[in-house]
């Protein structure tokens, strides 16, 4: 029993755990408030069972996170290549089937892109740590970037926003790892130009006589992307859509109020408990608590940056920066969508939205952060103990001085 207790002990940085607990508590309250319509309409079950399932996933996520925090993070470096191959194979399978999910017993369905976006960061951090003395070489830049492009490319047809998240967090790891900023900027500029051209062309194609033919090809998903941008630029305020309901929910929130469980708009939204949960939070408690949630994620990211700095290890530090970045960016994207600042992306709010396996994988990612933090704490304690055991010399006037 003691061994089991040690495995599931919450090791690492207390501040990170506290922030995660706060976000999970927020999740429990507002998922309970907003999951009703989704449970009946999409999940074909009762709101009580849907909510119980969400709580179960939260518990499992923390068990996974705790177990991961007690496993040396160096292990993921040793198996990074194998993990990457598995992730690419799963993504290729979903690419061929044209679906984001793989059905699984008990879990319902598994979204490989959620796992792949963490694994590709592990793989990138490992590559940079191994070849950090060659980061100025252009071939190594491409050797580091191409695995990220492969993962993002396989995710792209079904989930553009997640593909962009993978690219952004991968480039952040490369930047902090010491890759030349010139190479990164050149790639970003070319990618933005190609992406903008692709959206423009897809919009023209799907608003032409070739639209029906295009919908039968691999570029069919591009219609959704171009339409989302078009709806954002030219919104139909009379349409009863998810994004309009989300914006109305934010508008009804005001600065501050206490009306938990009193949402009106969630009763009409199938994505209120995941893609638009931030809107429901603001509707029920106001914009000031909404800003506080943003600050929680900001503190989380800042703490990750400090833990990366304190780690003193290239691989461990880059792991924390990559995982912290992707969680923080995803949270910001979700909030911006909910307040109408950017087009709809379908990104959930980490550790708050429902998500099933996505919540568990986030727990795994937090566990990796905590594993690095635990290793840092252990090295600090060992160094302190070693300093305390060093012999002491005395001067002629009997003043003690530490031996060098």
């Amino acid at each position: 029993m003691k061994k089991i207790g040690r495995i599931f002990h919450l090791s690492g940085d207390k501040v990170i755990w506290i922030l995660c607990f706060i976000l999970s508590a927020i999740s429990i309250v507002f998922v309970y408030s907003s999951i009703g319509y989704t449970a009946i309409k999409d999940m074909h079950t009762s709101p009580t069972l849907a909510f119980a399932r969400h709580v179960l996933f939260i518990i499992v996520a923390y068990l996974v996170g705790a177990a991961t925090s007690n496993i040396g993070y160096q292990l993921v470096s040793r198996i990074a290549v194998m993990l990457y191959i598995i992730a690419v194979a799963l993504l290729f399978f979903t690419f061929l089937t044209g679906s984001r999910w793989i059905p699984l017993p008990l879990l319902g369905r598994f979204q490989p892109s959620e796992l792949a976006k963490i694994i590709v960061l592990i793989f990138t951090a490992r590559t940079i740590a191994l070849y950090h003395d060659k980061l100025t070489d252009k071939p190594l830049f491409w050797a580091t970037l191409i695995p990220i492009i492969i993962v993002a490319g396989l995710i792209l047809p079904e989930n553009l926003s997640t593909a962009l998240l993978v690219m952004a967090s991968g480039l952040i790891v490369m930047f902090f790892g010491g890759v030349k900023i010139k190479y990164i900027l050149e790639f970003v500029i070319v990618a933005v130009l190609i992406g903008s051209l692709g959206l423009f062309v897809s919009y023209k194609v799907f608003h032409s006589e070739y639209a029906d033919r295009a919908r039968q090809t691999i570029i069919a998903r591009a219609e959704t992307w171009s339409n989302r941008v078009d709806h954002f630029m030219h919104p139909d305020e009379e349409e009863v859509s998810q994004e309009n309901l989300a914006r109305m929910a934010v508008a009804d929130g005001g600065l501050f109020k206490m009306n938990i469980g009193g949402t009106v708009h969630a009763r009409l939204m199938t994505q209120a408990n995941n893609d638009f949960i931030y809107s429901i939070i603001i509707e029920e408690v106001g914009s000031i608590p909404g800003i506080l949630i943003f600050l929680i994620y900001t503190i989380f990211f800042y703490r990750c940056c400090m833990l990366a700095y304190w780690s003193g290890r290239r691989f461990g530090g880059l792991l924390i920066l990559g995982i912290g970045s992707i969680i923080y960016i995803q949270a910001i994207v979700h909030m911006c969508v909910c307040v109408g600042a950017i087009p709809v992306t379908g990104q959930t709010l980490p550790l708050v939205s429902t998500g099933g396996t996505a919540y568990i994988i986030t727990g795994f990612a937090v566990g990796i952060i905590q594993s690095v933090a635990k290793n840092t704490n252990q090295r600090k304690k060992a160094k302190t103990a070693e300093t305390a055991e060093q012999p002491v010399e005395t001067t002629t006037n009997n003043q003690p001085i530490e031996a060098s």
Side-chain angles (χ1 to χ4, degrees), residues 54-353:
H54 174 62
V55 173
L56 178 61
F57 276 120
I58 291 177
I59 294 170
V60 173
Y62 277 102
L63 291 175
V64 170
T68 307
S69 71
N70 288 291
I71 298 173
Y73 72 92
Q74 298 87 347
L75 174 63
V76 296
S77 176
R78 291 194 286 270
I79 63 173
V81 176
M82 181 182 69
L83 291 174
Y84 181 80
I85 293 172
I86 292 172
V88 170
L90 291 172
L91 288 175
F92 189 68
F93 176 79
T94 55
F95 177 80
L96 292 177
T97 58
S99 173
R100 297 185 188 184
W101 298 277
I102 297 175
L104 288 178
L106 300 178
L107 293 177
R109 57 187 186 178
F110 167 65
Q111 193 169 3
S113 61
E114 291 295 325
L115 179 62
K117 71 184 185 184
I118 302 300
I119 289 177
V120 74
L121 294 177
I122 296 171
F123 188 81
T124 304
R126 176 185 179 273
T127 303
I128 292 175
L130 285 176
Y131 304 104
H132 61 89
D133 56 334
K134 299 180 180 178
L135 291 178
T136 56
D137 297 344
K138 197 69 174 279
L140 183 64
F141 166 76
W142 285 109
T144 307
L145 184 63
I146 286 174
I148 304 173
I149 294 175
I150 291 172
V151 169
L154 288 171
I155 295 173
L156 179 65
E158 291 299 324
N159 198 333
L160 172 63
S161 58
T162 299
L164 293 177
L165 275 177
V166 168
M167 285 303 311
S169 55
L171 291 173
I172 288 171
V173 170
M174 292 174 67
F175 171 75
F176 283 106
V179 174
K180 270 191 173 182
I181 185 65
K182 174 186 174 183
Y183 299 156
I184 297 174
L185 286 176
E186 287 175 351
F187 172 76
V188 169
I189 291 170
V190 172
V192 168
L193 289 175
I194 293 174
S196 301
L197 179 62
L199 282 174
F200 175 77
V201 171
S202 65
Y203 179 81
K204 292 297 183 180
V205 167
F206 287 106
H207 288 78
S208 70
E209 58 184 301
Y210 304 104
D212 290 337
R213 188 179 301 175
R215 292 188 184 100
Q216 300 173 10
T217 68
I218 195 172
I219 66 168
R221 183 68 179 173
E223 182 178 18
T224 301
W225 308 335
S226 59
N227 284 342
R228 284 179 175 178
V229 174
D230 184 48
H231 289 163
F232 176 75
M233 299 298 294
H234 309 95
D236 180 0
E237 296 181 357
E238 301 298 323
E239 182 185 7
V240 182
S241 61
Q242 298 280 326
E243 51 264 46
N244 281 346
L245 288 169
R247 291 173 187 175
M248 287 189 286
V250 171
D252 287 348
L255 288 177
F256 181 82
K257 66 179 182 180
M258 191 56 64
N259 189 29
I260 296 174
T263 176
V264 174
H265 299 89
R267 312 295 183 234
L268 304 172
M269 299 169 65
T270 58
Q271 303 297 325
N273 56 298
N274 41 46
D275 293 358
F276 294 100
I277 196 168
Y278 188 66
S279 300
I280 304 307
I281 293 172
I282 293 179
E283 179 191 5
E284 295 190 354
V285 295
S287 297
I288 292 177
I291 292 171
L292 292 178
I293 291 174
F294 166 73
L295 290 177
I296 290 172
Y297 284 105
T298 302
I299 295 169
F300 177 90
F301 179 65
Y302 173 78
R303 190 67 177 180
C304 285
C305 293
M306 296 307 299
L307 290 173
Y309 176 76
W310 292 332
S311 72
R313 295 289 187 271
R314 189 178 298 271
F315 175 64
L318 291 176
L319 265 183
I320 294 179
L321 283 172
I323 293 171
S325 296
I326 202 166
I327 291 175
Y328 187 51
I329 295 171
Q330 183 176 333
I332 290 177
V333 168
H334 175 95
M335 292 183 224
C336 287
V337 167
C338 288
V339 299
I342 61 175
V344 174
T345 62
Q347 290 298 319
T348 57
L349 190 59
L351 295 172
V352 176
S353 299

Side-chain angles (χ1 to χ4, degrees), residues 10 13-28 58 62 66 296 300 351 359 366 370:
L10 296 176
D13 184 68
K14 292 181 180 178
V15 174
I16 293 291
W17 283 127
I18 291 171
L19 294 173
C20 289
F21 290 153
I22 293 173
L23 291 172
S24 294
I26 292 170
S27 175
I28 289 172
I58 291 177
Y62 277 102
I296 290 172
F300 177 90
L351 295 172
Y359 208 109
V366 171
Q370 298 293 35

